[in-house]
Amino acid sequence: MGPKTREALRRGVQPPQKVTRGRLFEVDLKRQLLLCIHEGKILYILNTSTGSGERYYSGGRWKTATTPKGDFRMYSSHSSGWQTGPLGSMYRPGYYDRGWAIHGSRSIPPYPASHGCSRITTAASDMLWSRNWFRKGRRVLVR
């Protein structure tokens, strides 16, 4: 971490959040952060890497790697390790919109680099699973 980050941590600076009620994930696309919020308090701030904006070929057609903005609910999850799909492997994903998910990965650069999912470290994924964050119906706000 650099001196600006160290100073922000020392001062207790937190990113702005949109929601003050409930228990939810908030994905901040501009800052590449995943906030875990409970009743208006940020419990965890995790680095994430979201959709790169680049073109890729999958399922017989060209697509653009974007992370959809919106207010979603987790509808499915895979708790037992790595899951392989057509775009690669995801660690313990929690799906919130069609095929988009919050999931662990070995690569979380500090810039948008995914096909559209919100990548977090495998350690962060394990921590969130152990604290019951990946649940069906969990709100995921992407802004």
Side-chain angles (χ1 to χ4, degrees):
M1 97 180 86
K4 288 181 183 178
T5 302
R6 191 177 325 276
E7 178 59 18
L9 288 170
R10 187 191 68 70
R11 289 185 295 126
V13 173
Q14 292 191 351
Q17 66 199 58
K18 294 285 184 194
V19 179
T20 58
R21 301 183 91 173
R23 188 175 177 105
L24 69 142
F25 291 106
E26 188 173 314
V27 180
D28 183 331
L29 295 172
K30 182 179 178 183
R31 292 177 180 83
Q32 294 295 285
L33 295 174
L34 177 72
L35 309 177
C36 301
I37 301 169
H38 180 68
E39 298 302 335
K41 294 184 181 177
I42 300 174
L43 298 183
Y44 311 110
I45 303 170
L46 304 170
N47 59 313
T48 189
S49 182
T50 60
S52 68
E54 295 180 15
R55 303 277 290 153
Y56 66 96
Y57 193 77
S58 177
R61 62 188 175 114
W62 285 97
K63 301 175 182 177
T64 302
T66 57
T67 302
K69 292 180 180 180
D71 198 342
F72 308 100
R73 299 279 175 177
M74 280 193 174
Y75 64 87
S76 180
S77 60
H78 179 81
S79 64
S80 58
W82 292 94
Q83 186 177 47
T84 302
L87 299 177
S89 296
M90 298 181 288
Y91 184 72
R92 303 181 86 179
Y95 295 96
Y96 62 86
D97 181 39
R98 297 166 280 169
W100 283 271
I102 297 169
H103 68 82
S105 176
R106 290 185 181 101
S107 174
I108 303 88
Y111 53 84
S114 79
H115 288 102
C117 289
S118 297
R119 297 181 193 170
I120 58 175
T121 66
T122 55
S125 183
D126 284 340
M127 181 271 296
L128 292 173
W129 272 97
S130 73
R131 295 178 181 164
N132 208 23
W133 275 85
F134 285 86
R135 297 183 54 91
K136 189 175 183 177
R138 173 77 68 222
R139 188 175 178 196
V140 179
L141 179 62
V142 183
R143 59 177 182 90

